[in-house]
Amino acid sequence: MENKSVNKEPSIIVGGFVLGGAMIGAGMFSLPTIMSGAWFVNSLFILFIVCFFMFHSGIYILECISKYGAGTNYFHISKELLPKWACYLANASLIFVLYILIYAYISAAGSIIYEASSLYGLNLNLRVIFVVFTIVLGATIWWGGACASRLTSIFLFIKIVLFVLAFSGLFFKARGDLLFTATFEGKSQLYLYPFIFIIIPYAITSFGYHGNVCSLYKLYHENEKKVVKSCVIGCVLALVIYLLWMIGTMGNLPREQFITIIQKGGNLDAFIDSLYTVLNSKYIEGFLLWFSISAVFCSFLGVAIGLFDYILASLKFEDNKTGRLKSGVLCFTPPLLLCLLFPNGFLIAIAYAGTAACVWAIICPAVMALKAREKFPNSGFKVWGGKGLIYAVIAFGAVGIICQTLAQFGFLPIYR
């Protein structure tokens, strides 16, 4: 599709915001609850480690696609650089995760918009909201990558502003003795260490931007440096927001208070009820509502851009109105139909998304980078760190799968 919105190259800030938008979503509300067992210092350490490995696994994808040029996607490089069985496994994992996330965001957006409409005296049909939301935001992606990227940046900016307005009071009231206390229930920090493993699967999903790397490479006209800088901005932005969120929550709510939240299912309403006692503001409900809306919109666009471009390139559709329409139909119809049939049914499937992400977003990119260096020994862009870092990323992915599997069967210690 030939228009200025498609051909104009955005700044690295826009790219960073796209990735940040894909990472930072309403799921951040679950992080303090999951981290309450290991508490602040241990959780922050795990968060840095996960961010480090997720950043590098993402730019391993960039290294691989740089060998084949813009328009190449994950399916093509995995087909070229992995055994056939591993290629199918990696792409099945990728498609599963992206579809499940889009399904989750449509469902979440519908419920949030429905709640907002009720507050303003409107009675909207939930399934109509699903359809309108998907068509409107899907149309921005169909129009062009630059259009959707800038819209994502706007939503992310709004989300950050609302985050500050809603929760800035938490930062000023945060207590250092709660964050950095050396003993818990009369026990030392060693008592907290077993609880760090449950954090890893959740933290991995909190730094998932990999589905957008191919889109950014195309958007920046094969400029690897700009894509890397965008990845840095996105990961740092997510890390800073998560850090502030941890300080604001763990610095105000004692560790034992999280047991009450967990016993209520760890749902958003239980968590917010606990924060109300700290904030005590009549404006918090409105700020929180609009923050949630912008978070879901932003995350939807960030994930959907990646899946849309994946389908466009994998099925070799023309990058024009007709080809992009075909890609949009295949991208949005399955999750929309699932939402219409099962408005609240994604919870069971989402539990397995972390394991799938370890396969396609961590282990496979590192393996493909090894193969790409053998196949193109003298080619241009190459991620630093040598084979040692690649093997470390593969090992981290394996640890993520083990932790996720143990968590599914209830073998990881959980604070409750």
Side-chain angles (χ1 to χ4, degrees):
M1 180 164 48
E2 296 298 325
N3 57 50
K4 292 182 180 180
S5 67
V6 174
N7 294 326
K8 188 175 180 182
E9 183 178 298
S11 70
I12 60 171
I13 300 297
V14 171
F17 273 32
V18 169
L19 300 184
M23 287 182 271
I24 307 167
M28 64 181 284
F29 286 99
S30 67
L31 286 179
T33 304
I34 295 300
M35 295 173 171
S36 60
W39 207 238
F40 181 74
V41 175
N42 297 322
S43 298
L44 185 60
F45 176 70
I46 293 297
L47 210 59
F48 272 103
I49 290 178
V50 173
C51 181
F52 174 84
F53 284 113
M54 292 297 282
F55 166 75
H56 284 91
S57 64
I59 58 176
Y60 281 140
I61 295 177
L62 173 63
E63 177 178 337
C64 294
I65 63 174
S66 69
K67 308 299 185 281
Y68 296 94
T72 303
N73 73 339
Y74 189 91
F75 175 76
H76 180 77
I77 59 174
S78 61
K79 185 178 179 181
E80 292 288 326
L81 300 172
L82 292 175
K84 183 176 291 187
W85 66 268
C87 170
Y88 290 144
L89 176 62
N91 283 273
S93 301
L94 165 62
I95 294 170
F96 173 77
V97 171
L98 295 183
Y99 269 125
I100 283 295
L101 290 177
I102 293 175
Y103 172 26
Y105 293 138
I106 294 175
S107 176
S111 61
I112 293 171
I113 295 172
Y114 181 83
E115 180 182 350
S117 66
S118 299
L119 288 177
Y120 293 104
L122 300 175
N123 186 19
L124 302 179
N125 184 282
L126 182 61
R127 286 174 170 78
V128 172
I129 296 174
F130 289 154
V131 174
V132 173
F133 169 81
T134 305
I135 291 176
V136 171
L137 291 193
T140 66
I141 298 173
W142 166 82
W143 181 254
C147 174
S149 298
R150 289 188 176 90
L151 187 60
T152 304
S153 301
I154 292 172
F155 279 127
L156 182 58
F157 176 76
I158 294 173
K159 180 166 63 174
I160 292 173
V161 171
L162 291 172
F163 175 77
V164 173
L165 291 175
F167 302 112
S168 57
L170 293 173
F171 308 139
F172 297 110
K173 294 181 180 180
R175 294 165 47 191
D177 61 315
L178 288 179
L179 293 172
F180 301 104
T181 183
T183 60
F184 293 86
E185 303 167 6
K187 301 175 183 178
S188 69
Q189 284 275 353
L190 293 174
Y191 163 70
L192 305 179
Y193 292 160
F195 296 107
I196 66 175
F197 299 103
I198 190 64
I199 300 173
I200 295 176
Y202 290 88
I204 286 173
T205 58
S206 297
F207 287 100
Y209 68 93
H210 301 60
N212 299 85
V213 174
C214 298
S215 300
L216 285 187
Y217 186 64
K218 177 183 176 181
L219 195 64
Y220 288 122
H221 303 134
E222 304 185 30
N223 189 325
E224 294 92 349
K225 290 183 179 180
K226 282 194 171 184
V227 179
V228 172
K229 290 177 181 178
S230 295
C231 292
V232 171
I233 292 172
C235 288
V236 170
L237 181 62
L239 191 61
V240 169
I241 293 296
Y242 295 152
L243 171 60
L244 293 175
W245 182 234
M246 291 167 61
I247 293 173
T249 52
M250 294 180 175
N252 285 280
L253 300 177
R255 184 171 181 261
E256 56 271 16
Q257 192 165 339
F258 281 91
I259 294 180
T260 303
I261 299 173
I262 294 169
Q263 289 175 344
K264 292 180 180 180
N267 293 327
L268 180 59
D269 55 348
F271 188 71
I272 296 303
D273 286 343
S274 298
L275 293 180
Y276 280 158
T277 61
V278 178
L279 292 170
N280 193 26
S281 171
K282 63 180 181 180
Y283 300 108
I284 183 63
E285 184 176 3
F287 285 142
L288 176 61
L289 181 64
W290 287 103
F291 167 78
S292 301
I293 290 174
S294 60
V296 172
F297 278 41
C298 192
S299 298
F300 173 88
L301 286 169
V303 173
I305 289 171
L307 181 58
F308 181 94
D309 284 342
Y310 174 90
I311 294 172
L312 189 72
S314 298
L315 299 182
K316 298 181 180 179
F317 291 143
E318 292 291 332
D319 194 2
N320 54 27
K321 291 182 179 180
T322 303
R324 295 179 71 82
L325 180 60
K326 293 177 183 177
S327 181
V329 170
L330 292 176
C331 178
F332 300 116
T333 301
L336 177 58
L337 289 177
L338 281 176
C339 277
L340 295 176
L341 295 172
F342 310 103
N344 301 305
F346 74 94
L347 290 176
I348 296 176
I350 202 72
Y352 298 97
T355 303
C358 288
V359 174
W360 80 266
I362 302 177
I363 296 176
C364 287
V367 174
M368 288 190 293
L370 279 175
K371 298 297 182 181
R373 293 180 186 185
E374 294 176 1
K375 192 172 183 178
F376 306 96
N378 300 317
S379 60
F381 176 73
K382 184 180 294 186
V383 178
W384 48 84
K387 289 186 177 181
L389 181 57
I390 291 179
Y391 290 133
V393 170
I394 294 172
F396 172 75
V399 169
I401 293 175
I402 293 171
C403 289
Q404 181 72 14
T405 303
L406 292 176
Q408 291 296 320
F409 290 98
F411 294 130
L412 282 185
I414 300 175
Y415 183 62
R416 58 180 66 174

